[in-house]
Amino acid sequence: MRLLILINSLDCLGENDAALSSAFRRFGCQVVLGEINAIAADDYRYFTRGVLVPQNAEPYAPGAVAPWSRETYFLDECQLIWVLGSPQAGVYRDVWRMLWLASQQTPFVNSIEGLVFLNSKHAMGYLVPKEHRVFSYISNDFATLWERYQQAPDQRWVAKPPNSGCGQNVFLLPENGPNVRTILQCLTGNTVAQSEMDYGGLGGFKAEYAVLQKFIPEVAQGEKRIIVTCGEVVAWHGRQGHPNDHRSNITQGGKAIPVDLNSDEVKLAGVIGKKLMAHGINFAAMDMAYPYIIEFDLGFPGGLYDAKLISGVDRSDRAAELIIARFKKHWSSD
């Protein structure tokens, strides 16, 4: 079986690229690492630039450069494709559309529909049972968000964009905070100021969406990053925030720590994992501060690598095993 993993760059391999390509090779699979932003078509056959990882290649670390020869690989010559990268803004629409067309012929670990429509904070209300999600208000109108905040002046809130990750522009809004109005204006595009500077709005539509979400005290006890594969919890670790920051993201100075999962946490993660599978998402990460789900990461979720670092146990083999079993029917008759 040949697996094509589509990644951001062959010159700086990510943590999933390293762990999962090694795991699949241990199961005897051919692994091609291809660049997601190099998708192209030859008479509507889709291909990309990539490298075939030698079966006997030594395991490599995140950040490494793929040392093997760059070649052209057609997507329809692979038995399985895994998107573990994100198209750049300038080619975003073209790449997703070509990948969706390719997925009509070749199975994808995570469906294009799921990655495009569910990899967002907007999807929380659909994927997570009401009792396990935090109340959120979403708008691109500053006035409505500001009004909502003022209706509960003693409530602490979190404000953030709906389509960002790694803790970008996530603000903790205190009760009656003096900078809250400014923060909400900023997150929604500073439309009033922009309109004034554009002489009445000649510069075009400027509004941007923001999420106003109730702050929950459970996060103070720490969040847990959980990796789910084909509906099964395969890896997890705790995240401890930086002492000078309310965010626990590893990229923002948070620290991965060892934790246990109780049966309720495992059950909730499995329920959501099964719902994701119904939409073609077979590998995902979620951040949990039980009983709440805080975030999802469906694109190229981190967690396997950090879980291995703190526990000494590499759980990427279990992820690979589950995915091979799920998709084996697609190539067993070839």
Side-chain angles (χ1 to χ4, degrees):
M1 188 271 286
R2 172 174 285 185
L3 167 68
L4 170 63
I5 301 178
L6 292 171
I7 65 176
N8 288 329
S9 174
L10 296 173
D11 295 324
C12 184
L13 299 175
E15 59 184 68
N16 283 327
D17 313 338
L20 291 168
S21 65
S22 296
F24 277 90
R25 285 187 292 119
R26 285 192 288 271
F27 282 96
C29 301
Q30 283 190 341
V31 177
V32 175
L33 299 175
E35 293 187 337
I36 191 169
N37 293 297
I39 299 292
D42 182 351
D43 195 23
Y44 300 99
R45 284 188 69 206
Y46 302 103
F47 65 91
T48 190
R49 179 175 57 248
V51 297
L52 176 64
V53 184
Q55 197 67 26
N56 59 352
E58 291 294 322
Y60 51 87
V65 176
W68 310 287
S69 300
R70 271 64 166 170
E71 305 287 348
T72 295
Y73 293 91
F74 281 89
L75 275 60
D76 61 11
E77 293 179 344
C78 301
Q79 284 71 54
L80 186 61
I81 299 173
W82 196 342
V83 176
L84 281 174
S86 179
Q88 292 294 317
V91 297
Y92 185 88
R93 287 180 294 181
D94 292 287
V95 169
W96 282 131
R97 288 167 179 171
M98 286 190 285
L99 288 178
W100 181 83
L101 290 164
S103 73
Q104 304 311 295
Q105 184 173 355
T106 306
F108 278 56
V109 172
N110 283 342
S111 72
I112 301 305
E113 298 94 330
L115 291 174
V116 171
F117 292 110
L118 296 180
N119 196 26
S120 165
K121 296 173 181 65
H122 294 296
M124 293 287 292
Y126 174 68
L127 293 171
V128 182
K130 188 171 183 177
E131 65 270 22
H132 294 294
R133 65 176 188 256
V134 186
F135 173 83
S136 297
Y137 194 83
I138 304 173
S139 177
N140 63 6
D141 178 57
F142 156 72
T144 60
L145 292 175
W146 175 238
E147 181 182 4
R148 171 65 67 168
Y149 173 82
Q150 290 181 302
Q151 287 174 356
D154 297 328
Q155 170 71 46
R156 299 176 78 190
W157 298 85
V158 173
K160 52 190 174 182
N163 292 301
S164 65
C166 299
Q168 294 181 81
N169 297 323
V170 178
F171 296 91
L172 178 62
L173 309 181
E175 308 94 321
N176 299 303
N179 287 321
V180 170
R181 191 169 181 272
T182 303
I183 291 170
L184 294 178
Q185 286 177 329
C186 177
L187 287 173
T188 51
N190 283 308
T191 53
V192 173
Q194 291 285 357
S195 178
E196 184 69 23
M197 291 188 292
D198 289 339
Y199 304 100
L202 296 179
F205 189 77
K206 300 293 184 181
E208 299 175 8
Y209 277 94
V211 180
L212 185 64
Q213 185 178 80
K214 283 188 177 181
F215 174 81
I216 57 170
E218 286 80 0
V219 299
Q221 306 303 316
E223 298 176 24
K224 296 179 181 181
R225 166 54 62 105
I226 302 172
I227 297 291
V228 178
T229 306
C230 299
E232 179 181 310
V233 172
V234 297
W236 59 91
H237 64 77
R239 298 200 313 193
Q240 186 178 69
H242 190 280
N244 296 321
D245 201 321
H246 68 278
R247 298 167 296 178
S248 63
N249 305 78
I250 305 299
T251 53
Q252 302 296 342
K255 181 182 178 182
I257 58 174
V259 294
D260 293 322
L261 293 184
N262 63 45
S263 59
D264 290 333
E265 292 169 327
V266 172
K267 181 180 179 181
L268 176 57
V271 166
I272 295 173
K274 291 291 196 302
K275 189 160 189 177
L276 286 167
M277 288 178 70
H279 295 280
I281 298 295
N282 294 289
F283 184 83
M286 59 190 78
D287 296 329
M288 183 185 297
Y290 193 83
Y292 299 107
I293 299 294
I294 308 299
E295 296 280 358
F296 283 107
D297 189 349
L298 311 182
F300 42 105
L304 282 174
Y305 181 72
D306 292 312
K308 178 184 175 182
L309 287 180
I310 61 174
S311 70
V313 179
D314 186 350
R315 301 182 183 274
S316 57
D317 277 7
R318 181 56 180 162
E321 182 181 29
L322 288 167
I323 289 168
I324 290 170
R326 179 161 179 78
F327 288 95
K328 192 172 184 178
K329 62 183 180 182
H330 291 282
W331 61 81
S332 58
S333 59
D334 291 352

